């Protein structure tokens, strides 16, 4: 520790730089120890000054009282002679000497007090600022004293009255007091350093534990969590926040892993089909025209499936990275819905598609993605509704306390979705009862509803699904209208 202090004294700038890179516990300790040192220095300094100040003040008051009393006694006509000091003319401890114009002492109450000449020779030129300016301060070997002079005229003669009062004869005591205060200051400083060092180390222990745990966490081992300290303090909050962040990261990583494996799985099927058909074509395609046609048609259809899947994957990837650009503008919803339904009616041969109500209303959104969202719901309705089924759209304007909305219901009387699947269908790649739907020749990727959900979120559209197995499905949309 001593070597540390020496280094501080020799290279203060270098040490200050080093402190900047020191541990927080060291910084806190040094800072508080420095503050304490300052406080201790100030208190001991002020205590020392206070002691001196009160000594001076006490002496000054006693001198003033004595001088006033002497003046009063003179006014009463007391004669200046050896008997002047009878019945305590000055306060005990105050020395009075009366000298006539020839310098002869006419009266003195303490013959052992140092002679006036010696006192005057030892007068301090620059007395402390708190000393009374009307009096002089003399510093003798063992004592400091006040000296006040008063000239009086008595029976035509001028007399000098010298008042003395010892301010402190406790030089030794005061020196010891100063030493003790100084030692206490240094001791307090080192105690603060020591206590600060241990306390701050203890307080910051959870942070060290957190760092150690955080070091052990890797992408492959994300299940580790930091122990939350029992106290409800900032460190517990930090640990909890850190753990929540890890939860979210772990969830994100899991989702990412699932996404990649699902995507590869989905892409594997069309690729296998394409490979199978190309084998078939290379073997029989040249000789058998029917095989050639079937092969080309199947390869094309699988390639189209793949293209759709890749496009959906790219859409979601852009959405995840916030790179999906939306050009929002005011759109007349009734016109958009009418257009979508008209086109659907043209291509849908097996179902009846009806737009029962279509209220006017301006919405603020990206035309391309809003259209895509409606297409996803309507395509699903056609895919999961047997031939001859009905698809009905109702778009109704409602105004509530929270503004105006267009409530759009897209219903079908198709196969419906079981209760336990109704939440899951919004997850990426989730498809209900794939074997049954596949058997009916329904192709899908399980990404449509995820994309639709993202689009709805980007437009503050509330999206709910109600469905009854075997009876049908309704998608409810609550779209905010431009006021
Ligand atoms: P997909 O490409 O498989 O249609 P979606 O994300 O659009 O993917 O839908 C997920 C699953 O939800 C579908 O596989 C289907 O099982 C179910 N689904 C969606 N819409 C309907 C509907 N209108 N009727 C019945 N089932 C539906």
């Amino acid at each position: 520790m001593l070597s540390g202090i020496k280094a501080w004294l020799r290279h203060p700038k270098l040490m200050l730089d080093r402190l900047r890179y020191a541990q927080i516990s060291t910084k806190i300790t040094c800072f508080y120890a420095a503050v304490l040192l300052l406080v201790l220095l100030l208190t001991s300094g002020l205590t020392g000054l206070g002691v001196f100040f009160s000594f001076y003040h006490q002496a000054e008051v006693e001198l003033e009282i004595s001088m006033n009393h002497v003046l009063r006694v003179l006014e009463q006509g007391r004669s200046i002679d050896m008997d002047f000091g009878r019945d305590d003319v000055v306060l005990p401890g105050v020395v009075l000497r009366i000298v006539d114009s020839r310098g002869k002492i006419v009266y003195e109450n303490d013959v052992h007090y140092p002679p006036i000449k010696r006192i005057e020779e030892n007068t301090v030129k620059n007395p402390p600022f708190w000393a009374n300016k009307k009096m002089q301060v003399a510093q003798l070997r063992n004592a400091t004293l006040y000296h006040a002079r008063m000239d009086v005229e008595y029976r035509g003669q001028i007399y000098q009255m010298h008042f003395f009062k010892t301010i402190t004869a406790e030089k030794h005591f005061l020196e010891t007091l100063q030493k003790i205060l100084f030692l206490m200051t240094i001791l307090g400083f080192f105690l603060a350093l020591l206590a600060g060092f241990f306390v701050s180390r203890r307080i910051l222990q959870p942070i060290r534990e957190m760092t150690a745990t955080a070091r052990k966490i890797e992408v492959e081992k994300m299940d580790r969590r930091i122990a939350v300290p029992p106290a409800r303090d900032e460190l517990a909050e930090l640990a909890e926040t850190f753990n929540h962040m890890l939860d979210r990261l772990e969830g994100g990583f899991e989702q990412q892993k699932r996404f990649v494996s699902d995507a590869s799985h989905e892409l594997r099927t069309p690729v296998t089909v394409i490979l199978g058909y190309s084998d078939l074509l290379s073997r029989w395609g040249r000789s058998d025209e029917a095989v050639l046609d079937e092969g080309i048609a199947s390869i094309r259809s699988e390639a189209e499936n793949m293209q759709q899947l890749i496009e959906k994957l790219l859409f979601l990837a852009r959405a995840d990275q916030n790179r999906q650009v939306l050009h929002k503008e005011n759109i007349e919803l009734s016109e958009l819905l009418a257009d979508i339904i008209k086109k659907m009616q043209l291509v849908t041969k097996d179902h009846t598609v009806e737009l029962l109500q279509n209220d006017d209303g301006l919405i603020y959104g990206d035309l391309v993605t809003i259209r895509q969202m409606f297409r996803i719901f309507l395509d699903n309705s056609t895919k999961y509704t047997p031939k001859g089924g009905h698809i009905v759209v109702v778009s109704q304007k409602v105004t509530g306390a929270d503004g105006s909305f267009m409530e759009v219901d897209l219903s079908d009387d198709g196969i419906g979705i079981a209760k336990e699947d109704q939440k899951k269908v919004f997850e990426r790649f989730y498809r209900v009862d794939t074997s049954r739907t596949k058997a009916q020749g329904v192709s899908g990727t399980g990404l449509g509803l995820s994309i639709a959900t993202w689009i709805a979120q980007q437009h503050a559209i509330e999206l709910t699904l109600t469905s009854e197995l075997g009876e049908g499905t309704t998608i409810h949309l609550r779209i905010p209208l431009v006021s």
Side-chain angles (χ1 to χ4, degrees):
M1 194 162 274
L2 261 174
S3 61
I5 297 172
K6 272 186 202 156
W8 265 101
L9 293 176
R10 243 180 267 147
H11 313 284
K13 200 174 145 18
L14 198 85
M15 296 304 281
L16 215 66
D17 270 355
R18 204 179 278 178
L19 190 64
R20 203 170 292 157
Y21 301 106
Q23 288 185 342
I24 293 185
S25 51
T26 317
K27 280 185 196 161
I28 294 179
T29 309
C30 288
F31 177 74
Y32 280 105
V35 171
L36 187 83
L37 179 70
L38 207 76
V39 172
L40 282 175
L41 280 175
L42 263 172
T43 7
S44 44
L46 285 177
T47 314
L49 277 182
V51 169
F52 272 104
F53 184 79
S54 72
F55 278 156
Y56 273 77
H57 186 69
Q58 180 74 25
E60 194 181 310
V61 169
E62 284 180 23
L63 271 181
E64 269 168 0
I65 293 174
S66 303
M67 285 162 82
N68 286 338
H69 192 239
V70 165
L71 275 179
R72 234 175 295 130
V73 168
L74 280 172
E75 272 166 19
Q76 284 164 9
R78 184 175 294 188
S79 52
I80 296 180
D81 49 28
M82 280 313 272
D83 200 25
F84 184 77
R86 67 177 186 271
D87 57 271
D88 298 334
V89 74
V90 290
L91 287 178
V94 174
V95 175
L96 170 62
R97 261 185 205 148
I98 306 176
V99 180
D100 66 11
S101 49
R102 278 166 289 146
K104 188 172 160 264
I105 295 174
V106 184
Y107 169 79
E108 64 179 327
N109 63 350
D110 185 349
V111 283
H112 303 295
Y113 210 71
I116 298 175
K117 199 162 170 276
R118 215 175 101 209
I119 292 173
E120 279 175 342
E121 275 168 8
N122 287 294
T123 300
V124 175
K125 284 207 181 67
N126 297 313
F129 68 86
W130 56 79
N132 191 322
K133 297 282 170 288
K134 283 185 247 153
M135 303 174 187
Q136 282 153 355
V137 177
Q139 178 71 58
L140 299 187
R141 195 151 44 92
N142 282 322
T144 311
L145 51 94
Y146 255 141
H147 174 197
R149 240 181 78 173
M150 194 164 78
D151 289 351
V152 290
E153 200 186 328
Y154 175 67
R155 288 189 188 156
Q157 273 227 49
I158 302 288
Y159 290 91
Q160 286 177 357
M161 294 196 156
H162 294 268
F163 293 84
F164 304 100
K165 167 78 192 159
T166 308
I167 299 170
T168 132
E170 309 286 353
K171 212 172 161 203
H172 183 68
F173 162 74
L174 285 173
E175 273 171 11
T176 320
L177 181 77
Q178 274 171 345
K179 269 185 210 151
I180 289 174
L181 282 175
F182 180 71
L183 278 176
M184 291 298 281
T185 305
I186 299 296
L187 198 76
F189 173 67
F190 283 113
L191 269 179
L193 265 185
L194 214 69
F197 182 70
F198 285 113
V199 171
S200 59
R201 268 187 85 83
R202 233 194 114 68
I203 290 176
L204 295 175
Q205 181 60 23
I207 291 197
R208 263 188 287 279
E209 281 166 17
M210 278 184 214
T211 316
T213 317
R215 257 195 211 122
K216 285 182 199 146
I217 294 169
E218 285 163 26
V219 179
E220 296 308 319
K221 275 191 271 160
M222 289 210 66
D223 54 336
R224 277 174 191 272
R225 292 294 176 270
I226 287 167
V228 180
R232 307 303 312 147
D233 57 8
E234 289 88 342
L235 289 178
E237 206 179 315
L238 178 67
E240 263 167 19
T241 315
F242 193 80
N243 284 345
H244 280 149
M245 185 191 76
L246 285 177
D247 287 345
R248 287 199 303 275
L249 278 180
E250 194 182 13
F253 275 122
E254 281 305 315
Q255 204 182 346
Q256 200 74 16
K257 268 199 269 182
R258 225 180 10 218
F259 188 71
V260 171
S261 92
D262 288 345
S264 350
H265 186 78
E266 288 296 321
L267 282 168
R268 188 189 281 159
T269 321
V271 170
T272 318
V273 175
I274 289 174
L275 281 174
Y277 273 107
S278 48
D279 277 352
L280 197 77
L281 283 180
S282 67
R283 247 181 272 159
W284 316 103
R286 273 177 273 262
S287 53
D288 191 333
E289 217 158 275
V291 171
L292 186 70
D293 286 346
E294 191 199 328
I296 290 173
S298 299
I299 287 177
R300 187 178 170 80
S301 135
E302 288 303 325
E304 272 170 9
N305 280 348
M306 255 168 79
Q307 191 186 27
Q308 272 178 22
L309 176 66
I310 289 168
E311 248 152 45
K312 283 177 182 164
L313 285 174
L314 282 176
F315 184 99
L316 285 172
R318 280 199 299 270
D320 286 347
Q321 294 167 12
N322 284 332
R323 282 194 301 117
Q324 181 64 42
V325 191
L326 299 177
H327 298 289
K328 289 193 181 172
E329 57 188 326
N330 284 347
I331 305 168
E332 178 50 59
L333 187 64
S334 58
E335 286 173 16
L336 176 66
L337 272 179
D339 182 56
I340 295 172
I341 302 294
K342 202 174 96 191
K343 283 186 180 138
M344 253 204 101
Q345 284 165 337
L346 282 177
V347 291
T348 316
K349 301 275 177 284
D350 303 329
H351 305 94
T352 45
V353 184
E354 282 177 293
L355 180 58
L356 288 189
Q357 187 178 347
N358 192 14
D359 287 357
D360 288 338
L362 265 190
I363 61 164
Y364 183 66
D366 173 57
L367 185 62
V368 179
T369 49
I370 292 277
R371 187 188 282 274
Q372 189 181 356
M373 179 185 74
F374 282 119
R375 286 300 304 265
I376 289 169
F377 298 133
L378 293 167
D379 279 352
N380 278 349
S381 287
T382 35
K383 276 197 290 185
Y384 305 108
T385 304
K387 279 183 186 172
H390 300 82
I391 298 163
V392 172
V393 178
V394 173
S395 177
Q396 192 179 18
K397 184 174 175 175
V398 289
T399 306
D402 48 348
S404 294
F405 295 88
M406 193 67 88
E407 291 199 337
V408 184
D409 283 2
L410 306 119
S411 323
D412 61 58
D413 50 1
I415 59 171
I417 305 167
K419 285 270 168 298
E420 65 269 22
D421 291 322
Q422 286 178 8
K423 271 227 164 74
K424 295 185 192 156
V425 289
F426 292 97
E427 289 172 15
R428 290 177 184 185
F429 292 109
Y430 191 83
R431 306 185 65 204
V432 184
D433 197 9
T434 335
S435 59
R436 217 177 88 205
T437 42
K438 274 244 160 103
Q440 288 175 356
V442 175
S443 69
T445 54
L447 291 177
L449 288 182
S450 311
I451 292 176
T453 312
W454 185 84
I455 297 172
Q457 276 167 0
Q458 297 305 307
H459 292 86
I461 299 173
E462 263 177 50
L463 161 61
T464 41
L465 176 146
T466 47
S467 188
E468 220 34 81
L469 206 57
E471 291 189 11
T473 305
T474 301
I475 296 279
H476 310 271
L477 299 174
R478 195 164 191 261
I479 312 174
L481 289 176
V482 178
S483 49

